[in-house]
Amino acid sequence: MTKLSNALFNRLVIAIPYIWLIIFFMVPFFIVLRISFSQTAIAMPPYLPVFSLSDGWQGFWDNIGQLSFDNYIWLTEDALYINAYISSLTIAFISTCLTLLIGYPIAYGMARAPTSIRPTLLMLVILPFWTSFLIRVYAWIAILKPEGFLNQFLQAIGIIDDPLIILNTNIAVYIGIVYSYLPFMVLPLYSTLEKMDESLIEAAGDLGCPPLKAFWTITFPLSLPGVIAGFLLVFIPTVGEFVIPDLLGGSSTLMIGKTLWTEFNANRDWPVSAAVAIILLLVLVIPIAIFQNAQAKAAQQ
Amino acid sequence: MKSLGSIRRSFAPWNDSSAKPYISFKNVTKRFGDFTAVDDLSLDIYNREFFALLGASGCGKSTLLRMLAGFETPTSGQIILDGQDLSQTPPYRRPVNMMFQSYALFPHMTVEKNIGFGLKQDGMPKDQIAYRVAQMLKLVKLEKFASRKPHQLSGGQRQRVALARSLAKQPKVLLLDEPLGALDKKLREETQFELMDLQQDLGLTFVVVTHDQEEAMTMADRIAVMSAGKVVQVATPAEIYEAPNSRFVADFIGDVNIFDGNVVSSEGGKTQIAVSEDLTIVAEQNGSGPASGAAAFAIRPEKVRIAREAPANPGFNAVKGEIWDIGYLGDMTIYIVKLASGQTVRASRLNASRELENPIGYDEEVWVSFDDNAGVVLKD
Ligand SMILES: Nc1ncnc2c1ncn2[C@@H]1O[C@H](COP(=O)(O)OP(=O)(O)OP(=O)(O)O)[C@@H](O)[C@H]1O
Ligand SMILES: [Mg+2]
C-alpha cells in the first residue's frame, strides 16, 4: 500500500457522507423545491410544467419561464398557513420543554447510577422502540379516552367524578409527543452527563458551594451541549409531526404536518404542499444554522 | 527567598504532651466493597503543621484526604477537626480546601473565574475577589493566562491553577494531593519553597500527598509513611531517614543496604548480629531492634566507607569485597561492592577533592566498613 492509495482511501471515507447527503437529501430537496414553483394541474403528475428531455433546449427554457412564486404568495395570503406554522412551533416548543423537564432528571439519575446497572437503564430507555410507534400512539387513545384506563383509575380512587376530557385536545398531543420523543432527549443528555467528571462537583462543594447551587453553576452549564442536542432532536421532528396530532389531537389542533397532509392527499395540491414543506424547512434550518455558526465562532475564541 | 527561620526549628508540638492535635483520625477504616483502602488508621496532625503523606501508589493517601475533605465517609472510626467530629459536616461547610489530584478545574470557566470561585461562594465583594485572584495568579506565575480556559493550558499550568484555586480561600487546613507532580524540576523547587513560606506566613495547616520523598523531606515538618492503608511510621524527615522503624520505611525512603542475620548478643548497649562467615555487625541498640533471633541491619550508602587498606578490626563492621559497578554523579560517586557472600553493598562517596589520579576502579578489592552508630537494627 502506498501513500497515494491511503490518501485516496481517506478521501473516499470523507466522501461517503457527502454522497449520501446528495442522493438522499439534496436531490429530493430540489425535486420538492421545483414542484413548489409549479402550478397544480389535473394530470399525472398533478402539476405543470413537466420537464422532459424530448422538449429540447427551447422547451426547457419555456418550462423555466412557467415556474413562479405563486404558491408562496398564496401561503402568505391565507391566515390558515401562518396560524398552522405558529401553532406547530408553539406546540413543538412547549412539548420539547416538557420533554427536557422530564428527561433531564431521568438522564441525571442514570448518569449517577452505579456503573453496573447503567447499561440496563439505557436498555429500558430504548425499550419502547421495540414496539411500533403507531401502536404505542394508539395505546394512548385507549388510556386517555373518556372511558379509558386513566379516567377509570381516577374515578376508582375517587379523585374525579366525571371523566376528564383529554383525548382530542392539545394536552393529549403534548402527552403523546413527550412520551414518544423522550428517548431522543434522554440519550444525548445522558451521554454528556455521564462523561462529566464527578470531581468537579466535589471541587465546587469543597470551595463552599452547596449541592443545588453546584448543579446550576457547574453541572447544568456543562451539560448544555446535551441539552441543545436533545432539544433539536425533539423539536425539529415535532414541528412537522403528523401522526400524534392526527390521532390524539382534536379538530382545533392545528399543526403544519396535518395541513400538509390535507393539501397533499385531500386537495391533491402538490405544489402548495411542496411550498409548505420548503417553508417549514427554512423555518427550521435558518435559525439553527445561525445558532451553530455563532457557537462555532464562540468556540474558536 | 525568606529564611525558614528559628520558629520552624522549635516547632514540635507532637513532642509536647499538652498540645492538642488539630486534626485527629481515630481508628478510621474505609472499605470499597470488600477492599480495604484505609485500615484502622489513627493519626494526629497539629495546628500549623506541614504534614506529608508518603507512600506507594494505591496505598490510600488520596482516600485519606478525601475523607478529611468530606467526599468519602469512613466505614468506621472518627475524624476530629479542631475538637469537632466531622461526620455530620458536609464538604461545603468544612473549613478545609483541597487541591485535587486530577485538578478538577471547571472547564467552562476562565482561569480567573476558577480561582475566584471559592471566594465568590463566600460572598466576597467583587473588587476584593479581583485583588485576591491577582495575588494568586502572581504566586503561581500565571498572570498572562488569567482569561484562558483550562483546556488552553499545559498540564503544569493547570496544576498551578488548581493550586491557586485551593489556596485562594486561605482555609485553616489545606489538603494538597500531589500538588507539584506535573511541574519541571526548577519550578517545582521554587514552588516548594513558596508553599512553605505561604504556610508559615498565613499560619495554615497543610497536608500534602506526594510520591516524591525528596519533596516530602524538603517541605514537611513530619512525614507519615503509608503502606496498604496503614501508617507505618510518623516522624520528622530526619528521624524517618536516620531511624526508620521498619524494613519497609528504610527501603522506601532513600537508598539503603540491608544485612540480614541473627542476633548473637545484646548487651552493654550494643547488639551483635552474625551476618556471614566474614562479617559480624556490632551496632548501637535502638528502639526497633530485637534482642534475639533474626534481625536486619540497615545502613545508608553515604555511611559506608570503602578503602584499599584493611581497617583495624576486620570481620567486625568491616568486610572485603570487589568493586562491581561505579556510578559517577559529579558531586559524588556511587560504588557497588560485591561481597564474598554474594550480597552487594552500595557506598557513596562525596567527591570532595578533584582526585583524578589513582581512583578506585572496577574489579579492585576493597574493604567496606562502617561505624557502630551508622545504621539501625530492625526486626527481620
Ligand atoms: N471509589 C472507589 N471504589 C473502589 N476502590 C477505590 C475507590 N477509590 C479508591 N479505591 C481503591 O483504594 C485504593 C487507594 O486509593 P487511593 O486513591 O487512596 O490511592 P493513592 O494512595 O492516592 O494512590 P496514588 O498515589 O496512585 O494516587 C486503591 O487501591 C484504589 O483502587
Ligand atoms: Mg492519589
Side-chain angles (χ1 to χ4, degrees):
Chain A
M1 292 294 275
T2 61
K3 259 186 192 161
L4 195 73
S5 64
N6 254 338
L8 204 71
F9 178 76
N10 283 345
R11 287 204 178 182
L12 207 69
V13 169
I14 297 168
I16 288 174
Y18 285 101
I19 295 171
W20 182 274
L21 269 180
I22 287 170
I23 297 177
F24 294 106
F25 178 75
M26 290 314 278
V27 171
F29 172 76
F30 279 111
I31 294 173
V32 174
L33 188 67
R34 165 240 183 288
I35 296 175
S36 76
F37 290 129
S38 313
Q39 315 300 328
T40 121
I42 303 175
M44 193 63 215
Y47 54 83
L48 277 174
V50 178
F51 287 87
S52 161
L53 280 180
S54 57
D55 296 347
W57 266 116
Q58 190 52 46
F60 177 79
W61 286 115
D62 284 347
N63 282 341
I64 292 281
Q66 285 183 42
L67 297 178
S68 74
F69 281 97
D70 289 353
N71 298 315
Y72 291 94
I73 294 164
W74 163 250
L75 290 189
T76 61
E77 281 168 352
D78 193 336
L80 168 81
Y81 298 106
I82 292 166
N83 287 342
Y85 278 119
I86 291 172
S87 157
S88 283
L89 290 171
T90 317
I91 290 178
F93 182 76
I94 292 172
S95 38
T96 308
C97 289
L98 290 172
T99 317
L100 179 64
L101 274 169
I102 296 168
Y104 203 103
I106 295 177
Y108 189 85
M110 283 168 61
R112 290 282 168 278
T115 339
S116 53
I117 65 166
R118 281 184 211 165
T120 317
L121 294 174
L122 212 54
M123 273 296 289
L124 287 176
V125 170
I126 310 171
L127 200 64
F129 290 134
W130 262 250
T131 318
S132 146
F133 168 67
L134 211 55
I135 290 176
R136 285 181 287 131
V137 177
Y138 272 116
W140 275 106
I141 297 179
I143 295 170
L144 297 178
K145 64 186 175 184
E147 65 280 18
F149 297 124
L150 181 68
N151 278 314
Q152 278 177 22
F153 175 73
L154 292 179
Q155 279 168 326
I157 61 171
I159 291 184
I160 52 166
D161 295 326
D162 300 317
L164 297 172
I165 302 303
I166 300 176
L167 192 64
N168 301 330
T169 66
N170 279 358
I171 294 175
V173 176
Y174 291 138
I175 292 175
I177 291 174
V178 169
Y179 167 77
S180 306
Y181 286 90
L182 195 61
F184 297 105
M185 184 62 89
V186 171
L187 294 180
L189 280 175
Y190 169 75
S191 82
T192 47
L193 285 171
E194 198 229 25
K195 266 186 293 185
M196 224 179 72
D197 184 0
E198 232 173 307
S199 65
L200 295 180
I201 303 302
E202 290 179 349
D206 187 65
L207 294 166
C209 188
L212 192 68
K213 197 172 169 205
F215 174 83
W216 286 114
T217 47
I218 310 293
T219 312
F220 189 73
L222 286 177
S223 68
L224 272 180
V227 172
I228 292 166
F231 200 93
L232 293 181
L233 274 178
V234 175
F235 183 75
I236 294 171
T238 319
V239 175
E241 178 59 51
F242 164 71
V243 174
I244 294 171
D246 191 53
L247 293 182
L248 300 180
S251 50
S252 65
T253 308
L254 197 59
M255 280 192 82
I256 201 71
K258 257 171 86 175
T259 314
L260 203 146
W261 190 88
T262 319
E263 287 302 343
F264 193 84
N265 285 313
N267 300 351
R268 259 185 92 73
D269 194 341
W270 287 23
V272 165
S273 54
V276 168
I278 295 290
I279 295 282
L280 180 60
L281 191 74
L282 295 183
V283 164
L284 292 176
V285 165
I286 290 173
I288 290 166
I290 291 172
F291 174 77
Q292 292 215 318
N293 199 13
Q295 283 255 302
K297 263 189 198 148
Q300 264 179 9
Q301 277 169 8
Chain B
M1 205 183 309
K2 265 172 283 179
S3 83
L4 299 169
S6 52
I7 337 159
R8 187 127 292 254
R9 225 163 288 148
S10 62
F11 180 78
W14 50 89
N15 289 331
D16 176 0
S17 56
S18 67
K20 263 210 171 144
Y22 192 60
I23 304 164
S24 277
F25 290 88
K26 293 197 165 152
N27 304 96
V28 172
T29 297
K30 176 69 192 179
R31 287 196 195 91
F32 296 107
D34 52 9
F35 177 79
T36 308
V38 173
D39 191 1
D40 192 27
L41 178 146
S42 296
L43 190 63
D44 288 334
I45 298 170
Y46 292 85
N47 197 9
R48 298 174 169 239
E49 188 173 359
F50 201 126
F51 195 89
L53 291 168
L54 198 55
S57 184
C59 69
K61 306 177 299 282
S62 295
T63 308
L64 201 64
L65 285 201
R66 290 172 54 78
M67 285 194 285
L68 187 50
F71 308 130
E72 307 280 2
T73 338
T75 312
S76 65
Q78 262 186 322
I79 302 173
I80 314 269
L81 179 86
D82 202 8
Q84 267 193 319
D85 185 343
L86 281 182
S87 57
Q88 297 307 316
T89 317
Y92 59 92
R93 290 230 188 81
R94 296 191 184 196
V96 167
N97 278 169
M98 171 144 160
M99 178 189 157
F100 287 70
Q101 192 169 10
S102 63
Y103 315 151
L105 299 177
F106 306 128
H108 58 306
M109 295 183 193
T110 58
V111 167
E112 227 168 3
K113 287 265 158 58
N114 261 287
I115 297 175
F117 186 87
L119 304 171
K120 204 172 146 194
Q121 303 311 311
D122 287 356
M124 191 187 252
K126 271 216 173 92
D127 49 333
Q128 281 182 40
I129 294 183
Y131 177 75
R132 184 77 73 79
V133 168
Q135 232 180 354
M136 289 297 134
L137 283 170
K138 195 162 160 234
L139 175 73
V140 294
K141 307 198 172 54
L142 285 175
E143 295 101 321
K144 287 193 200 120
F145 300 90
S147 51
R148 294 240 189 134
K149 295 265 180 75
H151 69 93
Q152 296 163 318
L153 299 175
S154 75
Q157 290 167 339
R158 271 180 234 168
Q159 193 165 38
R160 275 137 71 197
V161 178
L163 183 62
R165 188 179 68 177
S166 62
L167 279 169
K169 283 182 84 170
Q170 301 181 348
K172 293 292 291 171
V173 179
L174 190 59
L175 312 176
L176 303 156
D177 201 342
E178 300 270 356
L180 312 175
L183 306 188
D184 58 64
K185 193 164 163 19
K186 188 159 169 287
L187 190 58
R188 192 182 173 107
E189 278 166 9
E190 267 175 41
T191 318
Q192 280 172 7
F193 286 109
E194 299 270 13
L195 276 180
M196 290 161 73
D197 280 353
L198 203 80
Q199 187 251 354
Q200 284 275 291
D201 293 349
L202 301 176
L204 310 179
T205 307
F206 275 26
V207 183
V208 179
V209 164
T210 167
H211 273 113
D212 180 347
Q213 31 164 308
E214 241 175 76
E215 186 173 292
M217 298 278 218
T218 312
M219 296 197 292
D221 292 315
R222 280 191 307 159
I223 296 174
V225 180
M226 286 183 69
S227 165
K230 284 186 187 290
V231 169
V232 187
Q233 185 171 14
V234 189
T236 61
E239 282 168 340
I240 292 260
Y241 188 76
E242 303 295 354
N245 67 358
S246 64
R247 200 186 182 110
F248 176 84
V249 175
D251 219 6
F252 190 78
I253 310 273
D255 284 328
V256 73
N257 298 297
I258 294 185
F259 295 93
D260 287 305
N262 280 301
V263 177
V264 195
S265 75
S266 185
E267 52 191 23
K270 307 264 174 176
T271 305
Q272 285 207 8
I273 303 168
V275 175
S276 59
E277 275 171 27
D278 54 355
L279 177 64
T280 302
I281 288 171
V282 182
E284 275 186 1
Q285 273 170 359
N286 54 309
S288 50
S292 63
F297 178 75
I299 183 165
R300 304 286 180 193
E302 72 276 12
K303 298 186 179 72
V304 176
R305 284 189 298 269
I306 57 168
R308 290 192 174 106
E309 305 80 36
N313 202 359
F316 292 91
N317 290 0
V319 62
K320 214 154 65 169
E322 208 171 74
I323 299 284
W324 187 255
D325 208 350
I326 301 175
Y328 177 74
L329 302 182
D331 56 343
M332 62 171 171
T333 305
I334 294 179
Y335 299 91
I336 313 257
V337 184
K338 190 155 192 177
L339 307 182
S341 62
Q343 183 172 3
T344 53
V345 176
R346 193 180 253 267
S348 61
R349 207 157 87 163
L350 270 182
N351 297 326
S353 66
R354 297 177 61 239
E355 195 182 284
L356 294 173
E357 277 162 49
N358 197 16
I360 293 175
Y362 282 93
D363 299 331
E364 218 176 302
E365 271 206 350
V366 289
W367 282 90
V368 170
S369 64
F370 39 85
D371 295 334
D372 54 7
N373 62 357
V376 284
V377 182
L378 302 171
K379 271 183 282 232
D380 185 26

